[in-house]
Coordinates of all heavy atoms in Angstrom, one line a residue:
M127 N 51.8 -14.8 12.3 CA 51.7 -13.4 12.7 C 50.6 -12.8 11.9 O 50.4 -12.8 10.7 CB 53.0 -12.6 12.4 CG 53.0 -11.2 12.8 SD 54.7 -10.5 12.5 CE 54.4 -9.0 13.4
Y128 N 49.8 -12.0 12.6 CA 48.6 -11.3 12.0 C 48.4 -10.0 12.8 O 48.9 -9.7 13.8 CB 47.4 -12.0 11.9 CG 46.7 -12.3 13.4 CD1 45.8 -11.4 13.9 CD2 46.9 -13.4 14.1 CE1 45.2 -11.5 15.1 CE2 46.3 -13.6 15.3 CZ 45.4 -12.7 15.8 OH 44.9 -12.8 17.0
A129 N 47.7 -9.1 12.1 CA 47.4 -7.7 12.6 C 46.0 -7.4 12.3 O 45.4 -7.9 11.3 CB 48.3 -6.7 12.0
I130 N 45.4 -6.5 13.1 CA 44.1 -6.0 12.9 C 44.2 -4.5 12.5 O 44.8 -3.7 13.3 CB 43.2 -6.3 14.1 CG1 43.0 -7.8 14.2 CG2 41.8 -5.6 13.8 CD1 42.2 -8.1 15.5
I131 N 43.7 -4.1 11.2 CA 43.9 -2.8 10.9 C 42.6 -2.1 10.6 O 41.5 -2.9 10.5 CB 44.8 -2.6 9.5 CG1 44.0 -3.5 8.4 CG2 46.1 -3.1 9.7 CD1 44.7 -3.2 7.1
A132 N 42.4 -0.9 10.7 CA 41.2 -0.1 10.4 C 41.5 0.8 9.3 O 42.4 1.6 9.2 CB 40.9 0.6 11.7
T133 N 40.6 0.7 8.3 CA 40.5 1.6 7.2 C 39.1 1.7 6.5 O 38.5 0.6 6.5 CB 41.6 1.1 6.2 OG1 41.5 2.1 5.0 CG2 41.3 -0.2 5.5
G134 N 38.7 2.8 6.2 CA 37.4 3.0 5.6 C 36.2 2.7 6.6 O 35.2 2.2 6.1
G135 N 36.3 2.8 7.8 CA 35.4 2.6 8.7 C 35.2 1.0 9.1 O 34.2 0.7 9.7
K136 N 36.1 0.2 8.6 CA 35.9 -1.2 8.8 C 37.2 -1.8 9.4 O 38.3 -1.0 9.2 CB 35.6 -1.9 7.5 CG 34.3 -1.5 6.9 CD 34.1 -2.1 5.5 CE 32.9 -1.7 5.0 NZ 32.8 -0.3 4.7
Q137 N 37.3 -3.0 10.0 CA 38.4 -3.5 10.5 C 38.7 -4.9 9.8 O 37.8 -5.5 9.4 CB 38.1 -3.9 12.1 CG 38.0 -2.5 12.8 CD 37.7 -2.9 14.3 OE1 37.7 -4.1 14.7 NE2 37.5 -1.8 15.0
Y138 N 40.0 -5.1 9.5 CA 40.4 -6.2 8.7 C 41.5 -7.0 9.5 O 42.4 -6.4 10.0 CB 41.0 -5.9 7.4 CG 39.9 -5.1 6.5 CD1 39.9 -3.7 6.5 CD2 39.1 -5.8 5.6 CE1 39.0 -3.0 5.8 CE2 38.1 -5.0 4.9 CZ 38.2 -3.7 4.9 OH 37.2 -3.1 4.1
K139 N 41.4 -8.3 9.5 CA 42.4 -9.2 10.1 C 43.3 -9.5 8.9 O 42.8 -10.3 8.0 CB 41.9 -10.3 10.8 CG 43.0 -11.3 11.3 CD 42.3 -12.5 12.0 CE 43.3 -13.5 12.4 NZ 42.7 -14.8 12.9
V140 N 44.6 -9.2 8.9 CA 45.5 -9.4 7.8 C 46.7 -10.2 8.3 O 47.3 -10.0 9.4 CB 45.8 -8.2 7.1 CG1 44.7 -7.5 6.5 CG2 46.6 -7.2 8.0
S141 N 47.3 -11.0 7.3 CA 48.6 -11.6 7.5 C 49.5 -11.2 6.3 O 48.9 -10.7 5.3 CB 48.4 -13.1 7.6 OG 47.6 -13.5 8.7
E142 N 50.8 -11.5 6.4 CA 51.6 -11.2 5.2 C 51.2 -12.1 4.0 O 51.1 -13.3 4.2 CB 53.0 -11.4 5.6 CG 53.6 -10.4 6.7 CD 55.0 -10.5 7.0 OE1 55.7 -11.4 6.4 OE2 55.5 -9.8 7.9
G143 N 51.1 -11.5 2.9 CA 50.8 -12.3 1.6 C 49.3 -12.2 1.4 O 48.9 -12.7 0.2
D144 N 48.4 -11.7 2.2 CA 47.0 -11.7 2.0 C 46.7 -10.6 0.9 O 47.4 -9.6 0.9 CB 46.3 -11.4 3.3 CG 46.2 -12.4 4.2 OD1 46.6 -13.6 3.9 OD2 45.7 -12.2 5.4
I145 N 45.6 -10.9 0.1 CA 45.1 -9.9 -0.8 C 43.7 -9.5 -0.3 O 42.8 -10.4 -0.2 CB 45.0 -10.3 -2.2 CG1 46.5 -10.5 -2.7 CG2 44.4 -9.3 -3.2 CD1 46.7 -11.1 -4.0
I146 N 43.5 -8.3 0.1 CA 42.1 -7.8 0.7 C 41.5 -6.7 -0.3 O 42.2 -6.0 -0.9 CB 42.3 -7.4 2.1 CG1 43.2 -6.3 2.3 CG2 42.7 -8.6 3.0 CD1 43.2 -5.6 3.7
R147 N 40.3 -6.6 0.0 CA 39.5 -5.4 -0.7 C 39.2 -4.5 0.3 O 38.4 -4.8 1.3 CB 38.3 -6.0 -1.4 CG 38.5 -6.6 -2.7 CD 37.2 -6.9 -3.3 NE 37.3 -7.4 -4.8 CZ 36.5 -7.9 -5.4 NH1 35.1 -7.7 -5.2 NH2 36.6 -8.4 -6.7
V148 N 39.6 -3.2 0.1 CA 39.3 -2.2 1.1 C 38.6 -1.1 0.4 O 38.5 -1.0 -0.8 CB 40.5 -1.5 1.8 CG1 41.2 -2.7 2.7 CG2 41.5 -1.0 0.9
E149 N 38.0 -0.2 1.1 CA 37.3 1.0 0.5 C 38.2 1.8 -0.4 O 39.5 1.7 -0.1 CB 36.7 1.9 1.5 CG 35.6 1.4 2.4 CD 34.4 1.1 1.6 OE1 34.0 1.9 0.7 OE2 33.6 0.1 1.8
K150 N 37.8 2.4 -1.4 CA 38.8 3.0 -2.5 C 39.7 4.0 -1.7 O 39.2 4.9 -1.0 CB 37.9 3.7 -3.5 CG 38.7 4.2 -4.7 CD 37.9 4.7 -5.8 CE 38.8 5.1 -6.8 NZ 38.0 5.7 -8.0
L151 N 41.0 3.8 -2.1 CA 42.0 4.6 -1.4 C 42.4 5.8 -2.3 O 43.1 6.7 -1.8 CB 43.2 3.7 -1.1 CG 43.0 2.6 -0.1 CD1 44.2 1.9 0.1 CD2 42.6 3.2 1.2
G152 N 42.2 5.8 -3.7 CA 42.6 6.9 -4.5 C 44.1 6.8 -4.8 O 44.7 7.9 -5.0
V153 N 44.7 5.6 -4.8 CA 46.0 5.4 -5.1 C 46.2 4.6 -6.3 O 45.5 3.6 -6.5 CB 46.8 4.8 -3.8 CG1 48.3 4.5 -4.1 CG2 46.6 5.5 -2.6
E154 N 47.1 4.9 -7.2 CA 47.3 4.2 -8.5 C 47.9 2.7 -8.2 O 48.6 2.6 -7.3 CB 48.1 4.9 -9.5 CG 49.5 5.3 -9.2 CD 49.6 6.6 -8.5 OE1 48.6 7.3 -8.3 OE2 50.8 6.9 -7.9
A155 N 47.6 1.9 -9.1 CA 48.1 0.5 -9.1 C 49.6 0.5 -9.0 O 50.3 1.2 -9.8 CB 47.5 -0.4 -10.1
G156 N 50.2 -0.5 -8.3 CA 51.7 -0.7 -8.3 C 52.4 0.2 -7.3 O 53.5 -0.1 -7.1
S157 N 51.7 1.1 -6.6 CA 52.3 1.9 -5.6 C 52.2 1.3 -4.2 O 51.5 0.3 -4.0 CB 51.8 3.3 -5.6 OG 50.5 3.3 -5.2
A158 N 53.1 1.8 -3.3 CA 53.0 1.2 -2.0 C 52.1 2.1 -1.1 O 51.9 3.3 -1.3 CB 54.5 1.3 -1.3
Y159 N 51.5 1.5 -0.1 CA 50.6 2.1 0.8 C 51.0 1.7 2.2 O 51.2 0.4 2.4 CB 49.2 1.8 0.4 CG 48.2 2.7 1.2 CD1 48.0 4.0 0.8 CD2 47.6 2.3 2.2 CE1 47.0 4.9 1.5 CE2 46.6 3.0 3.0 CZ 46.4 4.3 2.6 OH 45.5 5.2 3.3
T160 N 50.8 2.4 3.2 CA 51.1 2.1 4.6 C 49.8 2.4 5.4 O 49.4 3.5 5.4 CB 52.3 2.9 5.2 OG1 53.4 2.7 4.3 CG2 52.6 2.5 6.5
F161 N 49.4 1.4 6.2 CA 48.3 1.5 7.1 C 48.8 1.9 8.4 O 49.6 1.1 8.9 CB 47.4 0.2 7.2 CG 46.8 -0.2 5.9 CD1 47.3 -1.1 5.0 CD2 45.6 0.5 5.5 CE1 46.7 -1.4 3.8 CE2 45.0 0.2 4.3 CZ 45.4 -0.8 3.4
E162 N 48.4 3.1 8.9 CA 48.9 3.5 10.3 C 48.1 3.0 11.4 O 48.6 3.0 12.6 CB 48.9 5.0 10.2 CG 49.9 5.6 9.1 CD 51.3 5.4 9.3 OE1 51.8 5.3 10.5 OE2 52.0 5.4 8.3
D163 N 46.8 2.9 11.1 CA 45.9 2.5 12.2 C 45.9 0.9 12.5 O 45.0 0.2 11.9 CB 44.4 2.9 11.8 CG 44.3 4.5 11.9 OD1 45.1 5.1 12.5 OD2 43.4 4.9 11.2
V164 N 46.9 0.5 13.2 CA 47.0 -1.0 13.6 C 46.4 -1.1 15.0 O 46.9 -0.5 15.9 CB 48.4 -1.4 13.5 CG1 48.5 -2.9 14.0 CG2 49.0 -1.1 12.3
L165 N 45.2 -1.8 15.1 CA 44.5 -2.0 16.4 C 45.1 -3.0 17.3 O 45.1 -2.8 18.5 CB 43.1 -2.2 16.1 CG 42.2 -1.2 15.2 CD1 41.0 -1.6 15.0 CD2 42.4 0.2 15.8
A166 N 45.7 -4.0 16.6 CA 46.2 -5.2 17.4 C 47.3 -5.9 16.6 O 47.1 -6.0 15.3 CB 45.2 -6.2 17.9
V167 N 48.3 -6.5 17.2 CA 49.3 -7.3 16.5 C 49.5 -8.6 17.4 O 49.5 -8.6 18.5 CB 50.6 -6.6 16.5 CG1 51.7 -7.4 15.9 CG2 50.4 -5.3 15.6
N168 N 49.5 -9.7 16.7 CA 49.8 -11.0 17.3 C 51.0 -11.6 16.8 O 51.0 -12.0 15.6 CB 48.6 -12.0 17.2 CG 48.8 -13.1 17.9 OD1 49.8 -13.5 18.5 ND2 47.8 -14.0 18.1
N169 N 52.1 -11.6 17.5 CA 53.4 -12.3 17.1 C 53.8 -13.3 18.2 O 54.8 -13.2 18.9 CB 54.4 -11.3 16.9 CG 55.6 -11.8 16.3 OD1 55.7 -13.0 15.8 ND2 56.8 -11.0 16.3
G170 N 52.8 -14.3 18.4 CA 53.1 -15.2 19.4 C 52.4 -14.8 20.7 O 51.8 -15.6 21.4
E171 N 52.3 -13.5 21.0 CA 51.5 -13.0 22.1 C 50.7 -11.6 21.6 O 51.2 -10.9 20.8 CB 52.4 -12.6 23.3 CG 52.7 -11.1 23.5 CD 53.5 -10.9 24.7 OE1 54.5 -11.7 24.9 OE2 53.3 -9.8 25.3
L172 N 49.6 -11.6 22.0 CA 48.6 -10.5 21.5 C 49.0 -9.1 22.2 O 49.0 -9.1 23.3 CB 47.2 -10.9 21.6 CG 46.2 -9.9 21.1 CD1 46.2 -9.8 19.7 CD2 44.8 -10.3 21.6
V173 N 49.2 -8.1 21.3 CA 49.3 -6.7 21.8 C 48.2 -6.0 21.3 O 48.1 -5.8 20.1 CB 50.7 -6.2 21.4 CG1 50.9 -4.7 21.8 CG2 51.8 -7.1 21.8
V174 N 47.4 -5.4 22.3 CA 46.3 -4.6 21.7 C 46.5 -3.1 22.1 O 47.0 -2.9 23.2 CB 45.0 -5.1 22.6 CG1 43.8 -4.2 22.2 CG2 44.7 -6.6 22.2
G175 N 46.3 -2.3 21.2 CA 46.5 -0.9 21.3 C 45.5 -0.2 22.1 O 44.3 -0.7 22.2
T176 N 45.7 1.1 22.5 CA 44.7 1.9 23.2 C 44.6 3.3 22.5 O 45.2 4.2 23.0 CB 45.0 2.0 24.7 OG1 46.4 2.5 24.8 CG2 44.9 0.8 25.5
P177 N 44.1 3.5 21.5 CA 43.3 2.6 20.5 C 44.2 2.0 19.5 O 43.8 1.0 18.9 CB 42.3 3.5 19.9 CG 43.0 4.9 19.8 CD 43.9 5.0 21.0
T178 N 45.3 2.5 19.2 CA 46.2 1.9 18.3 C 47.4 1.4 18.9 O 47.9 2.0 19.9 CB 46.5 2.9 17.1 OG1 47.2 4.0 17.6 CG2 45.2 3.2 16.3
V179 N 48.2 0.5 18.3 CA 49.6 0.0 18.7 C 50.6 1.0 18.4 O 50.7 1.4 17.2 CB 49.9 -1.3 18.3 CG1 51.3 -1.9 18.7 CG2 48.9 -2.4 18.6
A180 N 51.3 1.6 19.3 CA 52.2 2.6 19.1 C 53.4 2.1 18.2 O 54.0 1.0 18.6 CB 52.8 3.2 20.4
G181 N 53.8 2.7 17.2 CA 54.8 2.4 16.3 C 54.6 1.3 15.4 O 55.6 0.8 14.7
A182 N 53.5 0.7 15.3 CA 53.1 -0.5 14.4 C 52.5 0.1 13.2 O 51.6 0.9 13.1 CB 52.2 -1.4 15.1
T183 N 53.0 -0.5 12.0 CA 52.4 -0.2 10.7 C 52.3 -1.4 9.8 O 53.0 -2.4 10.2 CB 53.3 0.8 9.9 OG1 54.6 0.2 9.8 CG2 53.4 2.2 10.6
V184 N 51.5 -1.4 8.8 CA 51.3 -2.5 7.9 C 51.6 -2.0 6.5 O 51.0 -1.0 6.1 CB 49.9 -3.1 8.0 CG1 49.8 -4.1 6.9 CG2 49.6 -3.7 9.3
S185 N 52.7 -2.5 5.9 CA 53.0 -2.0 4.5 C 52.3 -3.0 3.4 O 52.3 -4.2 3.7 CB 54.6 -2.2 4.3 OG 55.2 -1.4 5.2
A186 N 51.8 -2.3 2.4 CA 51.0 -3.1 1.4 C 51.3 -2.5 0.1 O 51.8 -1.2 -0.1 CB 49.5 -3.0 1.8
S187 N 51.1 -3.2 -1.0 CA 51.3 -2.7 -2.3 C 49.9 -2.8 -3.0 O 49.2 -3.7 -2.7 CB 52.2 -3.5 -3.1 OG 51.9 -4.8 -3.2
V188 N 49.5 -1.8 -3.8 CA 48.3 -1.7 -4.4 C 48.2 -2.5 -5.6 O 49.1 -2.4 -6.5 CB 47.8 -0.3 -4.6 CG1 46.5 -0.1 -5.4 CG2 47.9 0.6 -3.4
V189 N 47.3 -3.4 -5.8 CA 47.1 -4.2 -6.9 C 46.2 -3.5 -7.9 O 46.6 -3.5 -9.1 CB 46.4 -5.6 -6.5 CG1 46.1 -6.5 -7.8 CG2 47.2 -6.4 -5.5
G190 N 45.1 -2.9 -7.6 CA 44.4 -2.1 -8.4 C 43.0 -1.9 -7.9 O 42.7 -2.3 -6.8
D191 N 42.2 -1.2 -8.8 CA 40.8 -0.9 -8.3 C 39.9 -1.8 -9.1 O 40.0 -2.3 -10.2 CB 40.4 0.6 -8.7 CG 41.1 1.7 -7.9 OD1 41.5 1.4 -6.8 OD2 41.2 2.8 -8.4
V192 N 38.9 -2.3 -8.2 CA 37.9 -3.2 -8.8 C 36.5 -2.8 -8.4 O 36.4 -2.0 -7.5 CB 38.2 -4.8 -8.3 CG1 39.5 -5.3 -8.7 CG2 38.1 -4.8 -6.6
K193 N 35.5 -3.2 -9.0 CA 34.1 -2.9 -8.7 C 33.4 -4.2 -8.1 O 33.7 -5.3 -8.5 CB 33.5 -2.5 -10.0 CG 33.6 -1.2 -10.4 CD 32.7 -0.8 -11.4 CE 32.8 0.7 -11.9 NZ 31.7 1.2 -12.8
G194 N 32.7 -3.9 -7.1 CA 32.0 -5.0 -6.5 C 30.7 -5.4 -7.3 O 30.4 -5.0 -8.4
D195 N 29.9 -6.4 -6.6 CA 28.7 -6.8 -7.3 C 27.7 -5.7 -7.4 O 27.7 -4.8 -6.6 CB 28.0 -8.0 -6.5 CG 29.0 -9.2 -6.5 OD1 29.8 -9.4 -7.5 OD2 29.0 -9.9 -5.6
K196 N 26.8 -5.7 -8.4 CA 25.7 -4.8 -8.5 C 24.6 -5.0 -7.5 O 24.2 -6.0 -7.2 CB 25.1 -4.9 -10.0 CG 24.0 -3.9 -10.0 CD 23.5 -3.8 -11.5 CE 24.3 -2.6 -12.2 NZ 23.7 -2.3 -13.5
V197 N 24.3 -3.9 -6.9 CA 23.1 -3.8 -5.9 C 22.0 -3.1 -6.5 O 22.3 -1.9 -6.9 CB 23.6 -3.1 -4.6 CG1 22.4 -3.0 -3.5 CG2 24.8 -3.8 -4.0
I198 N 20.9 -3.7 -6.5 CA 19.7 -3.1 -7.1 C 18.9 -2.4 -6.0 O 18.6 -2.9 -5.0 CB 18.8 -4.1 -7.7 CG1 19.6 -5.0 -8.8 CG2 17.5 -3.6 -8.3 CD1 20.0 -4.1 -10.0
V199 N 18.6 -1.2 -6.2 CA 17.8 -0.3 -5.3 C 16.4 -0.1 -6.1 O 16.4 0.5 -7.1 CB 18.5 1.0 -5.0 CG1 17.6 1.9 -4.1 CG2 19.9 0.9 -4.5
Y200 N 15.4 -0.7 -5.5 CA 14.0 -0.5 -6.1 C 13.1 0.2 -5.1 O 12.9 -0.3 -4.0 CB 13.5 -1.9 -6.4 CG 12.3 -1.9 -7.2 CD1 12.5 -1.7 -8.6 CD2 11.0 -2.1 -6.8 CE1 11.4 -1.6 -9.5 CE2 9.9 -2.0 -7.5 CZ 10.0 -1.8 -8.9 OH 8.9 -1.8 -9.8
K201 N 12.6 1.3 -5.6 CA 11.6 2.1 -4.8 C 10.2 1.9 -5.4 O 10.0 1.9 -6.6 CB 12.0 3.5 -4.8 CG 13.3 3.8 -4.1 CD 13.7 5.3 -4.1 CE 15.0 5.5 -3.4 NZ 15.4 7.0 -3.4
Y202 N 9.2 1.7 -4.4 CA 7.9 1.4 -4.9 C 6.9 1.9 -4.0 O 7.0 1.9 -2.7 CB 7.7 -0.1 -5.0 CG 6.4 -0.5 -5.4 CD1 5.8 -0.5 -6.6 CD2 5.5 -1.1 -4.4 CE1 4.6 -0.9 -6.9 CE2 4.3 -1.5 -4.6 CZ 3.8 -1.4 -6.0 OH 2.5 -1.8 -6.2
K203 N 6.0 2.7 -4.5 CA 4.7 3.0 -3.6 C 3.5 2.5 -4.2 O 3.2 2.7 -5.4 CB 4.7 4.5 -3.5 CG 5.9 5.2 -2.8 CD 5.6 6.6 -2.4 CE 6.8 7.3 -1.8 NZ 7.0 6.9 -0.5
R204 N 2.8 1.8 -3.4 CA 1.6 1.2 -3.9 C 0.5 2.1 -4.3 O 0.4 3.2 -3.7 CB 1.0 0.2 -2.9 CG 0.6 0.7 -1.6 CD 0.4 -0.3 -0.6 NE 0.0 0.2 0.7 CZ -1.1 0.0 1.4 NH1 -2.0 -1.0 0.8 NH2 -1.5 0.6 2.4
K205 N -0.4 1.6 -5.1 CA -1.6 2.4 -5.6 C -1.4 3.7 -6.4 O -2.3 4.5 -6.6 CB -2.5 2.7 -4.3 CG -3.1 1.5 -3.7 CD -3.9 1.8 -2.6 CE -4.3 0.5 -1.8 NZ -5.1 0.8 -0.5
T206 N -0.1 4.0 -6.5 CA 0.2 5.4 -7.2 C 0.9 5.2 -8.5 O 1.0 6.2 -9.2 CB 1.0 6.3 -6.3 OG1 2.3 5.7 -6.1 CG2 0.3 6.6 -5.0
G207 N 1.4 4.0 -8.8 CA 2.1 3.8 -10.1 C 3.4 4.3 -10.0 O 4.1 4.3 -11.0
Y208 N 4.0 4.6 -8.8 CA 5.4 5.1 -8.6 C 6.3 3.8 -8.4 O 6.0 3.0 -7.5 CB 5.5 6.0 -7.5 CG 6.9 6.4 -7.2 CD1 7.6 7.3 -7.9 CD2 7.5 5.8 -6.1 CE1 8.9 7.7 -7.6 CE2 8.9 6.2 -5.8 CZ 9.5 7.1 -6.5 OH 10.8 7.4 -6.3
H209 N 7.3 3.8 -9.2 CA 8.3 2.8 -9.0 C 9.6 3.3 -9.7 O 9.6 3.9 -10.8 CB 8.0 1.4 -9.4 CG 7.7 1.3 -10.9 ND1 8.6 1.0 -11.9 CD2 6.5 1.4 -11.5 CE1 7.9 1.0 -13.0 NE2 6.7 1.1 -12.9
K210 N 10.7 3.1 -9.1 CA 12.0 3.5 -9.6 C 13.0 2.5 -9.3 O 13.1 2.0 -8.2 CB 12.3 4.9 -9.0 CG 13.6 5.6 -9.5 CD 13.8 6.8 -8.8 CE 14.3 7.8 -9.8 NZ 14.3 9.2 -9.2
K211 N 13.9 2.1 -10.4 CA 14.9 1.1 -10.2 C 16.3 1.7 -10.5 O 16.4 2.3 -11.5 CB 14.5 -0.1 -11.2 CG 15.5 -1.2 -11.0 CD 15.2 -2.3 -12.0 CE 16.1 -3.5 -11.9 NZ 15.8 -4.5 -12.8
N212 N 17.1 1.6 -9.6 CA 18.5 2.1 -9.7 C 19.5 1.0 -9.4 O 19.2 0.0 -8.5 CB 18.7 3.2 -8.8 CG 18.3 4.5 -9.3 OD1 18.2 4.7 -10.5 ND2 17.8 5.4 -8.4
G213 N 20.6 0.9 -10.1 CA 21.7 -0.1 -9.7 C 22.9 0.7 -9.3 O 23.2 1.8 -9.6
H214 N 23.8 0.1 -8.4 CA 25.0 0.6 -8.0 C 26.1 -0.3 -7.7 O 25.8 -1.5 -7.4 CB 24.7 1.3 -6.5 CG 25.9 1.8 -5.9 ND1 26.5 3.0 -6.3 CD2 26.7 1.5 -4.8 CE1 27.6 3.3 -5.5 NE2 27.7 2.2 -4.6
R215 N 27.2 -0.1 -8.2 CA 28.5 -0.9 -8.0 C 29.5 -0.2 -7.3 O 30.0 0.8 -7.8 CB 29.0 -1.4 -9.4 CG 28.0 -2.3 -10.2 CD 28.7 -2.9 -11.4 NE 29.8 -3.8 -11.0 CZ 30.6 -4.4 -12.0 NH1 30.4 -3.9 -13.3 NH2 31.6 -5.1 -11.7
Q216 N 29.9 -0.6 -6.1 CA 30.8 0.0 -5.3 C 32.2 -0.3 -5.8 O 32.5 -1.3 -6.2 CB 30.7 -0.4 -3.9 CG 31.5 0.2 -2.8 CD 31.1 1.6 -2.5 OE1 29.9 2.0 -2.6 NE2 32.0 2.5 -2.3
T217 N 33.1 0.7 -5.7 CA 34.5 0.6 -6.1 C 35.3 0.3 -5.0 O 35.2 0.9 -3.9 CB 35.1 1.8 -6.8 OG1 34.9 2.9 -6.1 CG2 34.3 2.0 -8.2
Y218 N 36.2 -0.6 -5.1 CA 37.1 -1.1 -4.1 C 38.6 -1.0 -4.6 O 38.8 -1.0 -5.7 CB 36.9 -2.5 -3.6 CG 35.5 -2.7 -3.0 CD1 34.5 -3.3 -3.8 CD2 35.2 -2.5 -1.7 CE1 33.2 -3.6 -3.2 CE2 34.0 -2.6 -1.2 CZ 33.0 -3.2 -1.9 OH 31.8 -3.4 -1.3
T219 N 39.4 -1.0 -3.6 CA 40.9 -1.1 -3.9 C 41.5 -2.4 -3.4 O 41.3 -2.7 -2.2 CB 41.7 0.1 -3.3 OG1 41.2 1.3 -3.8 CG2 43.3 0.1 -3.7
E220 N 42.1 -3.2 -4.3 CA 42.7 -4.4 -3.8 C 44.2 -4.2 -3.4 O 44.9 -3.6 -4.1 CB 42.7 -5.5 -4.9 CG 41.5 -6.2 -4.9 CD 41.6 -7.5 -5.8 OE1 42.4 -7.6 -6.6 OE2 40.7 -8.3 -5.7
V221 N 44.6 -4.6 -2.2 CA 45.9 -4.5 -1.8 C 46.5 -5.7 -1.3 O 45.7 -6.6 -0.8 CB 45.9 -3.4 -0.6 CG1 45.6 -1.9 -1.1 CG2 45.2 -3.8 0.5
K222 N 47.7 -5.9 -1.5 CA 48.5 -7.1 -1.1 C 49.3 -6.7 0.1 O 50.2 -5.8 0.0 CB 49.4 -7.7 -2.1 CG 50.1 -8.9 -1.7 CD 50.9 -9.6 -2.9 CE 51.6 -10.8 -2.3 NZ 52.4 -11.5 -3.2
I223 N 49.2 -7.4 1.3 CA 49.9 -7.1 2.5 C 51.3 -7.6 2.2 O 51.6 -8.9 2.1 CB 49.2 -7.8 3.7 CG1 47.8 -7.3 3.8 CG2 50.0 -7.4 4.9 CD1 47.5 -5.8 3.9
E224 N 52.3 -6.8 2.4 CA 53.7 -7.1 2.2 C 54.3 -7.4 3.6 O 55.2 -8.5 3.7 CB 54.5 -5.9 1.5 CG 53.9 -5.7 0.2 CD 54.2 -6.8 -0.8 OE1 55.1 -7.6 -0.7 OE2 53.4 -6.9 -1.9
K225 N 54.2 -6.6 4.5 CA 55.0 -6.6 5.8 C 54.2 -6.1 6.9 O 53.6 -5.0 6.8 CB 56.3 -6.0 5.7 CG 57.3 -6.1 6.9 CD 58.7 -6.5 6.5 CE 59.6 -6.5 7.7 NZ 59.4 -7.6 8.5
I226 N 54.3 -6.7 8.1 CA 53.7 -6.2 9.3 C 54.8 -5.7 10.2 O 55.7 -6.5 10.6 CB 52.8 -7.2 10.0 CG1 51.7 -7.7 9.2 CG2 52.4 -6.8 11.4 CD1 50.8 -8.8 9.7
N227 N 55.0 -4.5 10.5 CA 56.0 -3.9 11.2 C 55.6 -3.6 12.7 O 54.7 -2.7 12.9 CB 56.5 -2.6 10.6 CG 56.9 -2.7 9.1 OD1 57.5 -3.7 8.8 ND2 56.4 -1.8 8.3
A228 N 55.9 -4.3 13.6 CA 55.6 -4.2 15.0 C 56.7 -4.2 15.9 O 57.7 -4.8 15.8 CB 54.6 -5.3 15.3

């Protein structure tokens, strides 16, 4: 059994027991979180929502916040001596999928 959920402008295919990284949710570690935007559920037969499946939710527990890999942003203009280097690390929330309610 799997479900396709939408959060943070992205879509994720999840099954029970999966640990995924989603955009930061602003929820402390150890608490429960419910994803309401379930786009599709497959329990032997695929049910696709229009746009979401009515009454379907995905329950998850928050593992914690983590930072992604550093991305280097380098700006450069030739012949002028202008260059600027910046780094950025995106923060994510790790969640463990507990139950798919369909």
